[in-house]
Amino acid sequence: MSVQYPRERATAGEKPGNEPEEVKLQNASKQIVQNAILQAVRQVSQESQHREERISDSQGRIQLGVGELTKKHEKK
């Protein structure tokens, strides 16, 4: 009586024992995901920086406006 072990299932178009190709695909997939994450992080960082610059500009204009109002009141 011989013991049979379950064979690894090959997906469609894949031959058993084709690990090197599978490893290449897995590595390529990981690299694509890493690149996408890095790109998303850079984009969020840039958007945050632009938002902070706009807020800073707006606050500068408000402070300038307040300074002008103060000068007008001092002249009276």
Side-chain angles (χ1 to χ4, degrees):
M1 180 179 212
S2 66
V3 177
Q4 291 184 341
Y5 295 99
R7 283 183 37 199
E8 291 183 21
R9 287 184 267 158
T11 58
E14 183 184 36
K15 297 176 184 174
N18 207 12
E19 287 89 13
E21 189 66 27
E22 185 176 333
V23 170
K24 287 179 189 177
L25 290 173
Q26 287 176 347
N27 289 338
S29 295
K30 288 177 185 178
Q31 189 65 47
I32 290 169
V33 170
Q34 287 177 343
N35 289 343
I37 291 170
L38 285 173
Q39 184 178 359
V41 168
R42 285 186 189 124
Q43 183 176 349
V44 169
S45 177
Q46 286 177 347
E47 289 173 358
S48 295
Q49 186 176 5
H50 291 309
R51 187 177 314 117
E52 287 175 13
E53 289 170 357
R54 285 195 307 265
I55 290 170
S56 177
D57 284 348
S58 296
Q59 288 174 345
R61 286 189 207 121
I62 290 170
Q63 288 174 354
L64 179 63
V66 169
E68 290 173 358
L69 288 174
T70 304
K71 288 178 186 175
K72 287 181 184 178
H73 288 290
E74 288 174 357
K75 289 180 182 177
K76 289 185 175 181

